[in-house]
Amino acid sequence: MLTSLADAGKLAYDKGYCNSQALPVIGIPKGLFYYEHRVLWESFFKILGFPVVVSEDTNKEILDYGIIHCSNETCLPVKVFHGHVYSLKDKADYIFIPRYTSLDKNEYTCPKFCGLPDMALLNLKNRIKVLEVKLHIDKDTGLTFESLKEIAKTLGVSYHDTVEAFRTALELFHEKKREFSRVNCYNQVRDLNKRAVSVLGHPYVIYDSYLSMKLIKKLKEKDIDVYTPVNLDHETKRHNAYPYQGRAFWEVGFENLGSAFTYAQDKNMNGIIYLSPFACGVDAFIIEYIERRFKDCYKVPFLKLIIDEHTGEAGFDTRVEAFLDMIG
Ligand code: SF4
């Protein structure tokens, strides 16, 4: 089993894919799926032997590209994603945009993930070439292998090697995830001598330092420990994801619901901040449930922050400061 990207590169070298100068470059936009699955997809293409270029961290220029190419109603992270895709158009031969429909049984992704490759092609007026892998675990895992066949054909590599690269990358991804959970599990790392705040929201918002206005870094600089959904194990979140008996229909909804009610039950959690992007349909429901249940059952201080492309950092920081003063 491969344990690192260095091993993956070695495998690609052994397979003889790495010698050609003419290999197409694969662009991976640093948005949406990237924050959870970068190990999987970067490893996949590297194992196959293709050079990978990841877009830069989100910045004003990338955001502006996204705003220009999307309609006003689009949620902020999808606009930003388009900006990342646009920024790669002259750096990569193909842009990788997976089509996530469902990542578990009976749970679906947000509709914008289901149509992401089409949306990017349409909004960028076919100025890019897209490679997509379909993931629809609830209905048809065969779709994934069909799309891998398409990728193999487009890139001129064997289907067998493509499937092998996918399986190896998946193993590597799960291994890294297990390792991360082992080291960062909330119950083991919580330091009771320090204040703790939980930051909830979509990974592509809370871990994108431009969109989140460096919220996590700013809290840590104040000597506050920060915990997010990744510090909790899957079963605990499932168990606590009221009111859906563990099923939230939207996979992103489940992560935040389960985490909110788990952290809220812990008397050592000083406060919870939910960072939500403008125009997120999923959050409109999820935050409503969280707020209602917090009001009825828990006393944990809760701050909801909605960000859009016009949010000013000074006003944002003031609200965070006021919240921190309140929790003491
Ligand atoms: S879950 Fe919300 S933020 Fe994420 S893509 Fe869907 S609408 Fe946008």
Side-chain angles (χ1 to χ4, degrees), residues 33-227:
F33 67 88
Y34 179 82
Y35 285 88
E36 277 187 287
H37 296 152
R38 63 175 169 237
V39 171
L40 171 61
W41 299 123
E42 280 188 44
S43 310
F44 169 62
F45 288 109
K46 286 181 180 174
I47 291 166
L48 267 179
F50 290 92
V52 169
V53 55
V54 177
S55 57
E56 307 169 41
D57 288 351
T58 306
N59 53 45
K60 171 93 172 69
E61 201 182 11
I62 285 178
L63 173 62
D64 287 344
Y65 288 149
I67 293 169
I68 293 167
H69 290 98
C70 293
S71 67
N72 278 345
E73 297 74 34
T74 312
C75 67
L76 184 62
V78 169
K79 284 182 185 164
V80 168
F81 184 80
H82 277 75
H84 282 282
V85 173
Y86 187 84
S87 76
L88 286 170
K89 77 176 174 38
D90 300 321
K91 296 179 187 162
D93 298 289
Y94 294 97
I95 314 282
F96 175 66
I97 307 180
R99 187 184 296 275
Y100 290 175
T101 304
S102 60
L103 300 180
D104 206 342
K105 282 283 166 201
N106 300 320
E107 264 172 10
Y108 281 65
T109 64
C110 158
K112 285 168 186 147
F113 275 88
C114 309
L116 203 55
D118 305 323
M119 216 191 297
L121 280 170
L122 191 70
N123 287 335
L124 298 174
K125 305 198 172 21
N126 292 320
R127 277 180 287 180
I128 48 166
K129 285 193 266 181
V130 168
L131 287 178
E132 71 170 78
V133 171
K134 296 184 172 82
L135 288 179
H136 194 349
I137 309 298
D138 187 48
K139 280 264 171 345
D140 188 359
T141 47
L143 283 175
T144 304
F145 291 95
E146 275 171 36
S147 54
L148 290 177
K149 202 176 278 176
E150 278 302 307
I151 287 192
K153 206 164 118 196
T154 308
L155 297 179
V157 292
S158 85
Y159 174 59
H160 175 269
D161 285 349
T162 308
V163 171
E164 191 192 326
F166 177 69
R167 292 205 162 114
T168 310
L170 202 58
E171 259 175 42
L172 194 58
F173 165 74
H174 285 306
E175 177 56 30
K176 293 266 173 214
K177 211 171 158 181
R178 278 193 295 273
E179 198 180 306
F180 180 90
S181 307
R182 230 180 2 252
V183 178
N184 294 285
C185 167
Y186 175 70
N187 290 331
Q188 283 168 25
V189 295
R190 173 77 177 99
D191 178 354
L192 294 178
N193 296 315
K194 286 167 77 177
R195 284 188 296 170
V197 166
S198 160
V199 174
L200 304 181
H202 308 298
Y204 41 86
V205 174
I206 61 179
Y207 298 122
D208 181 318
S209 59
Y210 186 82
L211 283 185
S212 67
M213 305 205 183
K214 302 191 193 75
L215 175 63
I216 292 179
K217 185 165 175 268
K218 285 172 183 167
L219 292 170
K220 286 184 176 171
E221 280 168 359
K222 291 179 187 301
D223 206 27
I224 292 172
D225 278 346
V226 178
Y227 299 97

